Amino acid sequence: MLAMNFRGPFRVRPDRNMPEPQIEHPEDAIVKVLRSCICGSDLHLYHGLVPDTRVGTTFGHEFIGEVVEVGSGVQKLKVGDKVMVPFNISCGKCAFCKQELYGNCHESNPSATAVGGIFGYSHTAGGFQGGQAEYARVPYADVGPTVIPDWMDPDDAVLLTDVVPTGYQAAEMAGIQKGDTVVVFGAGPIGIMAAKSAWLFGAGRVIVIDHLEYRLDFVAKYAQCEAYNFKSIGDPVVFIKTQTDSLGADVCIDAVGCEAKGNRMNTLLGIKLLLQGGSTTALHWAINSVKKGGIVSIVGVYGPIDALVPIGNVVNKGITIRANQAAVKRHLPKLIEHVKNGVIDPKQIITHRVPLEEISDAYHIFSQKLDGCIKTVLIPPR
Ligand code: NAD
Ligand code: ZN
């Protein structure tokens, strides 16, 4: 089948000879992928920032598909169902899934990295193949996959597999109180949805910080918030203090994660990037600009798990840090309602629609933020 094939940092290619997935366990299903997306999390892999990302991996943890085969143990799904597949692989039975911590499932990835299994990610997240492909194997098919309602646009459905729930959980974890000033670092798909969601939790003011003007323009309109370019406001920490009577923001959200310091030209197969651990600037800004006793909510992904943070300031200011992979399944019922009622219109963030065959260009454009790119949807061949 045709699928994305990771060949090393900054090198991905479409490969017509990737093996078709098979049922490996009675609870598996196979889906024919209808749409998939490229996520900021894929960029950490692409940039060589996540340990144990193996050559031959097919990325893609945001996808919807039609069920074409089910294992003998699958009871809820049937062939022909069209499903959105949460990016977390969750068994539904372990101690963590029972607490609805679907992003921390123990059975799908018992390794020491603590994250649960994730489709199309590094072997630190279980080493599952992903959905930037014609077909994908979906383990624990009765747990995560959710049938797409008839009325729902497939573009909205694919964004419910990660982007919308992650932005929503970022705001939820931030413990926003009525009237709070919320600062979101990053105006990518996740930051955009975090800003939008912050209002749903009662924010009084929402400020988004990035340096890409086209994204700042978009988020200002889409989330009806303030948006500032960190290249023109001076030190963002000082700027936020001036905006908050010197107190700092009530809540800061990190929707950036580990940023690549280099590019294809100055990295040797990603080794330099991995050693450097990437940049943690946004997280520093978040910790340093939240008020004393405030909350920093982190959904940005840090591949090397020991990335340095200003922990001294966390202690001195008595900050609460909340962070996690989003538990997609937990949020879906509410978010499906929000999409139905027009509270959230996810598909507006899609700027690019690219045939799967053109995956190399699609990664380059999204990684370099060219051509006004916010979110790319990949269309497999019919
Ligand atoms: P993206 O690459 O599209 O967006 C990141 C944005 O951050 C860009 O617009 C970039 O210009 C901006 N940025 C870079 N440095 C910055 C800084 N110092 N301050 C402010 N903005 C800065 O990525 P995305 O798809 O929006 O994902 C964002 C992060 O969320 C990534 O780290 C991704 O891995 C993570 N993520 C986490 C989860 C989860 O469940 N926790 C799920 C999905 C994505
Ligand atoms: Zn994602």
Side-chain angles (χ1 to χ4, degrees):
M1 68 169 179
L2 175 67
M4 176 270 199
N5 185 340
F6 174 69
R7 306 311 300 161
F10 296 94
R11 285 166 57 225
V12 302
R13 70 171 189 224
D15 189 338
R16 293 213 157 269
N17 297 315
M18 294 296 275
E20 277 192 20
Q22 311 290 329
I23 299 278
E24 293 177 20
H25 185 277
E27 290 169 42
D28 288 352
I30 305 294
V31 301
K32 180 173 168 35
V33 176
L34 299 171
R35 272 175 184 62
S36 61
C37 294
I38 309 179
C39 175
S41 298
D42 294 322
L43 293 183
H44 301 312
L45 305 169
Y46 179 69
H47 293 152
L49 283 168
V50 186
D52 208 5
T53 305
R54 300 191 189 169
V55 167
T57 302
T58 294
F59 298 169
H61 55 267
E62 304 180 3
F63 59 96
I64 58 171
E66 180 172 339
V67 177
V68 291
E69 194 181 348
V70 291
S72 58
V74 175
Q75 292 172 353
K76 294 187 197 154
L77 287 191
K78 56 183 189 316
V79 170
D81 282 346
K82 291 188 176 156
V83 289
M84 43 190 142
V85 183
F87 78 86
N88 329 103
I89 300 177
S90 323
C91 74
K93 297 184 289 275
C94 72
F96 303 104
C97 284
K98 277 190 189 146
Q99 294 174 63
E100 297 190 305
L101 292 166
Y102 297 111
N104 309 96
C105 172
H106 191 63
E107 197 174 297
S108 61
N109 182 26
S111 80
T113 54
V115 70
I118 299 177
F119 288 100
Y121 223 67
S122 118
H123 272 64
T124 57
F128 296 90
Q129 292 293 65
Q132 290 168 6
E134 286 182 272
Y135 295 92
R137 178 175 79 93
V138 179
Y140 310 109
D142 278 335
V143 180
T146 300
V147 173
I148 302 171
D150 289 342
W151 51 265
M152 188 180 279
D153 188 315
D155 284 344
D156 287 330
V158 76
L159 295 171
L160 282 170
T161 64
D162 180 342
V163 171
V164 184
T166 299
Y168 186 82
Q169 183 166 324
E172 183 194 62
M173 287 192 303
I176 298 166
Q177 304 289 312
K178 199 166 168 36
D180 272 358
T181 295
V182 177
V183 176
V184 180
F185 291 93
I190 302 301
I192 292 168
M193 291 304 165
K196 183 94 182 164
S197 301
W199 298 116
L200 302 177
F201 288 94
R205 190 175 175 193
V206 179
I207 298 172
V208 177
I209 310 271
D210 200 300
H211 66 115
L212 300 171
E213 283 293 339
Y214 74 92
R215 287 184 167 203
L216 291 166
D217 288 346
F218 179 87
V219 74
K221 287 195 203 88
Y222 182 80
Q224 297 282 300
C225 64
E226 297 166 61
Y228 297 101
N229 188 329
F230 65 71
K231 292 201 167 145
S232 49
I233 54 172
D235 180 347
V237 177
V238 174
F239 175 79
I240 289 161
K241 295 261 161 79
T242 62
Q243 296 289 309
T244 53
D245 292 334
S246 301
L247 296 177
D250 297 302
V251 158
C252 285
I253 294 174
D254 171 357
V256 178
C258 204
E259 279 287 292
K261 284 177 178 162
N263 57 39
R264 189 202 297 262
M265 301 308 290
N266 69 6
T267 181
L268 178 63
L269 294 179
I271 290 169
K272 190 171 157 209
L273 282 176
L274 191 57
L275 289 177
Q276 286 177 328
S279 159
T280 54
T281 309
L283 181 53
H284 280 72
W285 287 345
I287 289 171
N288 293 336
S289 53
V290 78
K291 72 178 183 188
K292 294 174 188 172
I295 296 178
V296 174
S297 166
I298 310 171
V299 282
V301 162
Y302 291 86
I305 49 180
D306 50 359
L308 286 176
V309 296
I311 198 72
N313 236 358
V314 172
V315 177
N316 292 345
K317 293 170 74 174
I319 296 170
T320 299
I321 293 193
R322 296 198 186 132
N324 212 339
Q325 299 284 342
V328 173
K329 180 181 159 74
R330 180 161 71 82
H331 304 295
L332 278 183
K334 181 176 287 163
L335 294 175
I336 288 171
E337 280 305 299
H338 281 338
V339 172
K340 190 173 186 181
N341 299 329
V343 176
I344 301 176
D345 182 3
K347 61 183 172 302
Q348 280 192 44
I349 68 167
I350 296 172
T351 50
H352 288 64
R353 251 166 233 288
V354 182
L356 186 57
E357 289 91 335
E358 294 169 26
I359 188 101
S360 313
D361 288 345
Y363 266 82
H364 179 67
I365 288 168
F366 182 48
S367 166
Q368 300 303 313
K369 312 297 193 242
L370 304 174
D371 194 24
C373 186
I374 296 180
K375 192 71 180 174
T376 300
V377 170
L378 299 166
I379 313 288
R382 278 177 174 269

